[in-house]
Amino acid sequence: MPRAVDPGSAIVDYAIYRDGVRQPGVHGWLEAIDRVEAQEDGFVWIGLHEPTEAQFADLADRFALHPLAVEDAVHAHQRPKLDTYDDLLFAVVKTVHYDDKLPGGSAEVVETGEVMVFVGPRFAITVRHGEHGRLGKVRSRLEADPELLSLGPSSVLHAVLDAAVDSYTVVTNALQEDIDEAETDVFSDPGKLTDSNVIYVLKREVLSMRRAAAPLSPVLRMLSQSPMELVDEDVRDYFRDVDDHLNEVVDQVNSFDDLLTTLVSANLARVSVVQNEDMRKISAWVAIAAVPTMVAGIYGMNFKHMPELQWEFGYPIVIAGMATVCGLLYRAFKRNRWL
C-alpha cells in the first residue's frame, strides 16, 4: 500500500525492498535511505509526481543527483533518452493515453506524459509528469514478482519501460479501430464524402505516437545489448523482450502513417471526382437553359419586322421547338452520364 506522505510533498510513495520483498516499518523516506545505506542491503524506491525544484532539492542533494538530470526531471518536456553518469542512470520515457471521451464531441486524441527514472546502486527514483501513467499498478505488479524485484533498482526501470510500451500497444489498437473506420468511410459509399479533418486528426495522433515510441528504441537497444554496471545481467533479458514489443508498435505506427497518407490522397481524389461530376451537371443544365434563354432573348428585342409575330400558331410552335431541343439535349447528356 502507498505510504501516507506529506500533502505538501510531491512524494507519492516510498519503500525499502530487500530480496524482492517490501520491508515494513519505514517512517519517512529519509529513514528508508538511512536504513538501506546502513545495512548495505536492498534498495529504496521513491516515487514523485510533478515535483517543483524546491520539493526535489532535498532528494537531489541526498543522492547527489546530476544537476542536468535534475533539471530535466523537474521541467519535463524531454524526448525519450538514456543518460549515464558516474554512478547514475537517468532515463526518460513518454507515457500515452487515448482519450475517446472528450467533452463536446471533440476528436479523440493521444495524450502524452512523461516518467523519469533515476537508477543508482541503492535507489530508484521515479518522477511522473501528467495525469495518466500512474505507477501504483506498476509498483504493485513488480512487488508481486519478488524474483524480478530482487535483481535490484534496474528492475524498476524495466517495469516502468514495460508498462509504457504496454500502453503504446493499447493506444495503437485503439488507433487501428479508428483508422479502419475511416478507411471504410472513404471506400464504402462512393456518393458520400469523408470529412478530411477526421483523417488529419488521426494522422496527427499517429505522429504523437511516433514521437513517443520511436526514440525509445535506441534506449532499449542500449539497455539490452550494452553491459552496464547499474543494470543487472538478468534484467537485460527482460529489456530485450520489451524492445521486441516496442519494435512491433513502431512498425504498426509507421504502417498507420503510410495508410493515412493513402487515405488522404484517395479522399482528395474522390473530392475532385465529385466536384467534376457536379461541374458537368451544372454545365449540362446551363446548356439546356441556354436554348429558351436564347430564343427569349431574340424575341425580347422587340424589332418591328420579327418573323411570325403576327402568325396565330407562332407562339406555341416556338414553345414546342424550345421544349424539343431541351429534351434532346437532356437525353444526350443523360446518355453520356452528365446528368
Side-chain angles (χ1 to χ4, degrees):
M1 296 295 291
R3 299 287 182 186
V5 296
D6 182 0
S9 171
I11 295 178
V12 177
D13 196 6
Y14 58 87
I16 295 174
Y17 297 95
R18 188 172 292 116
D19 296 327
V21 178
R22 183 168 183 154
Q23 302 300 301
V26 181
H27 305 287
W29 62 271
L30 283 171
E31 177 187 335
I33 298 168
D34 291 337
R35 284 175 54 178
V36 166
E37 291 182 347
Q39 298 175 9
E40 295 185 353
D41 187 20
F43 70 95
V44 59
W45 177 5
I46 302 174
L48 301 92
H49 178 230
E50 297 184 352
T52 63
E53 291 184 6
Q55 290 172 327
F56 201 62
D58 290 341
L59 269 175
D61 292 341
R62 186 68 176 79
F63 289 106
L65 303 179
H66 197 280
L68 293 177
V70 171
E71 181 181 357
D72 289 345
V74 171
H75 298 290
H77 304 296
Q78 302 294 315
R79 284 171 55 88
K81 63 178 182 177
L82 178 68
D83 291 336
T84 58
Y85 300 97
D86 293 337
D87 56 351
L88 177 71
L89 285 180
F90 175 68
V92 178
V93 58
K94 290 281 189 181
T95 58
V96 296
H97 172 69
Y98 202 52
D99 191 347
D100 58 355
K101 296 181 180 179
L102 294 179
S106 302
E108 298 163 314
V109 295
V110 175
E111 296 179 343
T112 60
E114 294 176 42
V115 175
M116 289 78 172
V117 185
F118 296 86
V119 175
R122 295 289 177 186
F123 67 88
I125 301 173
T126 53
V127 182
R128 177 172 62 88
H129 288 266
E131 294 305 317
H132 62 275
R134 292 178 173 83
L135 299 178
K137 292 183 179 180
V138 176
R139 188 185 287 262
S140 298
R141 186 164 60 247
L142 190 55
E143 289 176 352
D145 188 359
E147 183 178 355
L148 176 58
L149 191 54
S150 65
L151 298 178
S154 58
S155 64
V156 175
L157 177 58
H158 163 265
V160 171
L161 294 177
D162 186 42
V165 173
D166 286 345
S167 71
Y168 297 168
T169 302
V170 173
V171 172
T172 51
N173 289 338
L175 281 170
Q176 178 75 70
E177 295 178 2
D178 288 344
I179 292 173
D180 288 345
E181 183 178 344
E183 183 180 16
T184 301
D185 290 341
V186 169
F187 295 109
S188 61
D189 187 356
K192 178 184 176 183
L193 291 180
T194 303
D195 185 2
S196 297
N197 289 332
V198 174
I199 302 176
Y200 290 132
V201 168
L202 287 171
K203 196 167 179 64
R204 181 191 66 195
E205 304 316 317
V206 167
L207 180 59
S208 296
M209 272 298 303
R210 175 182 284 177
R211 288 172 177 169
L216 192 59
S217 291
V219 173
L220 283 168
R221 198 171 301 116
M222 187 183 303
L223 289 168
S224 62
Q225 297 178 0
S226 302
M228 297 183 183
E229 183 179 351
L230 294 172
V231 177
D232 190 276
E233 184 67 23
D234 293 332
V235 178
R236 287 174 57 195
D237 296 332
Y238 290 95
F239 283 124
R240 292 190 187 97
D241 180 65
V242 179
D243 189 28
D244 290 340
H245 294 166
L246 179 64
N247 288 333
E248 294 177 3
V249 170
V250 172
D251 290 342
Q252 195 171 7
V253 169
N254 289 336
S255 68
F256 288 166
D257 189 50
D258 294 339
L259 177 57
L260 287 171
T261 299
T262 302
L263 290 181
V264 169
S265 300
N267 197 52
L268 289 176
R270 288 188 58 199
V271 170
S272 298
V273 169
V274 171
Q275 288 177 341
N276 288 337
E277 291 178 352
D278 291 342
M279 287 303 299
R280 287 195 303 177
K281 290 180 181 179
I282 294 171
S283 300
W285 284 115
V286 168
I288 293 172
V291 174
T293 302
M294 178 183 65
V295 174
I298 292 173
Y299 276 87
M301 289 187 289
N302 295 320
F303 288 113
K304 183 176 181 180
H305 301 288
M306 299 275 302
E308 314 302 342
L309 285 178
Q310 305 301 322
W311 188 33
E312 180 180 357
F313 299 104
Y315 179 75
I317 288 179
V318 169
I319 295 297
M322 289 190 297
T324 300
V325 174
C326 289
L328 291 174
L329 287 174
Y330 178 83
R331 182 181 178 184
F333 287 132
K334 194 73 172 178
R335 182 182 300 169
N336 291 309
R337 297 182 180 180
W338 279 49
L339 291 175

